[in-house]
Amino acid sequence: MRNERLRAVMAAGGWTYATLAKEVEVDPKSVERWANLGRTPRRATALQAAEALGEDVHALWPALRQARPARAISPELVALHEQRADIPVSTFVEMMTQASKQIDVLVYAAVFLHEAYPRLNDLLRERAAEGCAVRIAVGDADSSNVQARGQEEQFGHGIESRCRLALMHYRPLIGVPGIEIRTHQTTLYNSLYRADDQLLVNAHVWGVNAYGAPVWHLRRNGEGGMFDTYAASFDAVWETAEPVQQEG
């Protein structure tokens, strides 16, 4: 069965089997089979061809609309915890202790870390001294999003106070080489705790305090997975966050 849409688009743009084949680095006979026999190329090749032709890939090859079968369990999922309160603070500490390249923390406050592990700042200094890049983003207490979270969780001004308390805990780290502290005003969909290729994602639930919300533990497994999605979201928030300056 011929692919009439592909044939029409190629004809309108003056494309031959040879010229399109050269553009997408395949054999001209492959392009001929796409057009005359209705064959569907591999997804990556189809995307490249559609871009060259200036056409929607699904319009050219509708079969590519079919959803890929979902995995019952993601290969990146290490564990799923019903609530953050189920996870001992030692889990967070051990992850950071083992980090050699990168530690990222995105929260509104998460003062439980300092309260349960008073040596947290010393640990972060030690990791930074070993060449680990440390980025901490806490909520701006004056942000409307922080204030809204307090109302949603029936925590009132408590969340704002905890944001200020978190910043007070981290202030001694300002100016330490390898450590950056910033405040952000974004809507916090998830609190993120990253140590190299491991990530704890505290997924927030409307009206539920963070300690009562689920956490999934991810370990990076190649490019483009769940881990990279969350890592990219951290980077996006980080770009909007304001560096905290030393007092005085």
Side-chain angles (χ1 to χ4, degrees):
M1 181 177 179
R2 299 197 303 183
N3 187 329
E4 298 296 349
R5 182 62 175 265
L6 175 60
R7 289 166 58 85
V9 170
M10 289 181 62
W15 292 89
T16 65
Y17 301 145
T19 56
L20 183 57
K22 182 178 181 180
E23 182 70 21
V24 299
E25 299 179 341
V26 298
D27 189 276
K29 290 183 179 179
S30 295
V31 179
E32 184 177 0
R33 285 192 286 267
W34 301 346
N36 294 333
L37 299 179
R39 300 284 177 82
T40 300
R42 292 181 302 170
R43 183 175 295 271
T45 303
L47 288 169
Q48 191 176 358
E51 182 177 358
L53 295 169
E55 181 61 277
D56 179 74
V57 67
H58 295 129
L60 294 174
W61 294 286
L64 292 177
R65 288 186 183 277
Q66 297 177 1
R68 298 175 180 177
R71 294 188 181 95
I73 300 176
S74 167
E76 296 189 315
L77 184 63
V78 176
L80 176 61
H81 305 273
E82 290 186 12
Q83 54 185 13
R84 195 194 70 199
D86 294 335
I87 307 174
V89 173
S90 60
T91 299
F92 295 85
V93 173
E94 288 170 7
M95 279 179 49
M96 294 182 186
T97 301
Q98 295 169 9
S100 60
K101 298 178 180 178
Q102 186 172 356
I103 293 175
D104 290 335
V105 176
L106 172 63
V107 294
Y108 271 163
V111 293
F112 74 93
L113 289 174
H114 280 97
E115 291 172 346
Y117 188 70
R119 284 199 68 255
L120 181 63
N121 282 5
D122 293 332
L123 170 59
L124 295 176
R125 286 192 188 94
E126 292 165 4
R127 302 319 309 134
E130 294 292 327
C132 187
V134 179
R135 300 186 294 178
I136 309 292
V138 300
D140 182 341
D142 296 322
S143 164
S144 60
N145 283 319
V146 168
Q147 294 167 5
R149 178 62 57 84
Q151 295 171 3
E152 293 163 3
E153 296 179 358
Q154 299 181 359
F155 206 56
H157 296 295
I159 184 65
E160 299 163 40
S161 299
R162 292 177 77 80
C163 287
R164 293 188 175 94
L165 180 59
L167 187 56
M168 183 188 75
H169 281 307
Y170 286 116
R171 271 198 178 279
L173 298 176
I174 297 172
V176 174
I179 299 179
E180 292 185 77
I181 311 294
R182 297 186 182 183
T183 58
H184 69 96
Q185 299 187 10
T186 62
T187 301
L188 191 65
Y189 297 106
N190 305 279
S191 292
L192 304 177
Y193 307 86
R194 177 182 182 177
D196 288 347
D197 286 343
Q198 293 196 71
L199 179 66
L200 291 172
V201 180
N202 188 185
H204 294 297
V205 179
W206 196 95
V208 177
N209 197 283
Y211 63 75
V215 174
W216 37 89
H217 183 175
L218 303 177
R219 181 178 285 111
R220 191 169 187 269
N221 181 28
E223 296 183 356
M226 293 171 61
F227 184 101
D228 284 355
T229 297
Y230 286 110
S233 74
F234 179 95
D235 291 338
V237 172
W238 187 255
E239 289 301 314
T240 70
E242 289 292 327
V244 179
Q245 307 298 326
Q246 289 181 314
E247 294 181 326

